Amino acid sequence: MAITAQKIAELAGVSRGTVDRALKNREGVNPETKARILKIADEYNYKPNLIGKALVYSKHRIPIAVCLNSLGNPFFDEVKKGIMDAQKSYADYGIDIELQEMKGFDEEEMLQRLSHLKKDVQNVIITPVSSPRFAEKINELEQSGVHVITLSSDVPGSDRLSYVGCDYEKSGKIAGRLTGLLSGGKAKLCITTGSLSHYGHRQRVDGLLEIVKGYPDIELVKILETFDDDETAKQKTAALLKEHPEVDFIYITAGGVQGTLEAIQESGKTLKACSFDDTPGTRRALESGKLLATICQEPYKQGYNAVKSIFDKVVAHEEVPAFQYSDLYIKVDTAL
């Protein structure tokens, strides 16, 4: 049964203004009265009047600083689309996106961006690196009243409002199982990743390795960091294949897919390769047989839900889950 703030006031025997102050945790309400109001609101699953809120918030901006290390990484195309569509959905409530993009995993640059937020910015969505300094910065922002959403990668030890992204450890274990199945349980394996300073990438590699340990005839030859950059991926993969011609299976666990595949093709070697994410490049590679499989993670949904989380917290005053994992699914080579 839906209930209004006015009805709560009637049931509690108080004024509408007292209910408003209690629900918004403002001063001036007797503790016993406040407890009675909150109990009634909980029993009737009270939801704020969002139409009324739209009229109020439309006169104000709710700026959200979005900082993504997305340049050169096609995975983020759908993330950004989700972010911008969410801005349109919540525009009537004052939600306003201020998007900043960078390339790579430069911790100093990311920290500088967080240290130079505009004074009116009280909400941040960021793809972070994982480090004690970054956790400390997020905690500092949260303590000052700034809500922080970590998107696509998390920062352990931080007090961020919510993490929105895939379950990297689980996705890594799926990749490990695919490696075992598609190699027949025997391989000389190379793993490429974006950056081991990216918590999600590290979890994904660890999850993959945990599973392949169960295959005694799969040997890990090397882990390459390619920083989600195609040219770096191409150069490092080419050098690897010259140094270790025995490599016959490569799992690309982050960006740099196109560069890695180009190096394999130019080497003239016949290798098995798998990747992550559903991008134009991975789709073409699946269709041509250059990739056997790719594990996908709903990037559009991640971008949309990151903005929705700010709306839920700031406008709707709803509880936001600490972890919001997107679904995982596998696409395979259509020739299989």
Side-chain angles (χ1 to χ4, degrees):
M1 172 183 173
I3 191 172
T4 65
Q6 181 58 46
K7 186 62 177 179
I8 293 175
E10 293 172 7
L11 292 173
V14 297
S15 70
R16 172 67 176 76
T18 299
V19 170
D20 186 65
R21 289 195 296 275
L23 294 175
K24 294 180 179 177
N25 199 30
R26 292 175 178 166
E27 297 180 356
V29 183
N30 179 282
E32 292 181 2
T33 301
K34 180 179 179 180
R36 186 165 71 251
I37 290 169
L38 295 178
K39 182 180 179 183
I40 293 170
D42 183 62
E43 288 176 350
Y44 286 88
N45 193 26
Y46 168 73
K47 299 293 184 183
N49 182 348
L50 293 180
I51 295 176
K53 284 182 176 290
L55 295 174
V56 173
Y57 281 98
S58 64
K59 301 174 183 178
H60 305 281
R61 285 179 67 246
I62 302 176
I64 303 175
V66 179
C67 305
L68 306 179
N69 58 341
S70 52
L71 294 178
N73 189 342
F75 164 77
F76 282 98
D77 292 347
E78 286 295 306
V79 174
K80 289 185 288 185
K81 184 177 178 182
I83 288 171
M84 294 309 171
D85 281 356
Q87 176 181 238
K88 294 175 184 176
S89 296
Y90 300 117
D92 287 346
Y93 301 92
I95 297 293
D96 188 14
I97 301 298
E98 298 180 358
L99 177 62
Q100 301 178 35
E101 297 184 79
M102 60 175 284
K103 186 177 180 64
F105 303 89
D106 189 322
E107 180 181 8
E108 290 297 332
E109 182 177 351
M110 290 183 185
L111 288 172
Q112 282 294 317
R113 291 178 185 238
L114 288 181
S115 297
H116 293 87
L117 295 172
K118 295 179 182 178
K119 290 184 179 180
D120 63 340
V121 172
Q122 296 295 305
N123 306 283
V124 174
I125 297 171
I126 189 165
T127 53
V129 296
S130 175
S131 72
R133 290 177 66 205
F134 221 99
E136 183 180 342
K137 185 61 182 179
I138 289 176
N139 294 345
E140 176 188 314
L141 289 171
E142 286 284 350
Q143 290 166 12
S144 69
V146 176
H147 304 302
V148 179
I149 302 288
T150 53
L151 174 61
S152 181
S153 184
D154 206 2
V155 184
S158 72
D159 296 327
R160 84 290 185 273
L161 175 63
S162 182
Y163 163 67
V164 182
C166 87
D167 184 333
Y168 279 94
E169 181 180 4
K170 182 178 180 180
S171 70
K173 290 179 178 179
I174 294 171
R177 188 65 68 206
L178 277 175
T179 301
L181 293 172
L182 294 173
S183 69
K186 184 175 182 179
K188 301 292 185 180
L189 174 66
C190 170
I191 298 173
T192 75
T193 191
S195 171
L196 294 175
S197 66
H198 182 293
Y199 183 60
H201 293 175
R202 193 164 69 246
Q203 281 187 304
R204 189 174 276 169
V205 170
D206 289 345
L208 194 161
L209 291 176
E210 181 179 336
I211 296 301
V212 298
K213 279 192 300 187
Y215 294 90
D217 292 326
I218 295 180
E219 176 189 345
L220 175 66
V221 176
K222 201 161 189 177
I223 298 173
L224 300 178
E225 288 183 281
T226 65
F227 307 106
D228 285 347
D229 180 71
D230 280 319
E231 189 57 37
T232 300
K234 183 175 181 178
Q235 291 176 2
K236 288 194 171 186
T237 303
L240 167 87
L241 294 177
K242 286 182 179 179
E243 182 181 356
H244 296 282
E246 72 275 17
V247 169
D248 57 11
F249 200 114
I250 290 183
Y251 211 113
I252 309 163
T253 66
V257 176
Q258 186 63 37
T260 302
L261 295 178
E262 286 179 4
I264 293 173
Q265 183 174 5
E266 291 177 10
S267 73
K269 299 179 182 295
T270 301
L271 304 179
K272 293 178 179 178
C274 293
S275 72
F276 278 84
D277 301 322
D278 183 11
T279 66
T282 58
R283 288 194 289 273
R284 288 193 299 271
L286 285 172
E287 291 168 0
S288 64
K290 294 177 182 177
L291 285 175
L292 296 179
T294 191
I295 301 172
C296 313
Q297 56 167 308
E298 299 187 309
Y300 177 91
K301 183 177 179 180
Q302 292 177 26
Y304 193 99
N305 284 349
V307 177
K308 182 180 182 295
S309 297
I310 298 294
F311 170 83
D312 288 344
K313 177 68 175 179
V314 176
V315 180
H317 299 294
E318 294 181 355
E319 184 176 347
V320 177
F323 295 91
Q324 300 182 62
Y325 292 130
S326 54
D327 290 335
L328 297 167
Y329 58 96
I330 302 169
K331 284 191 171 185
V332 298
D333 173 4
T334 54
L336 289 177

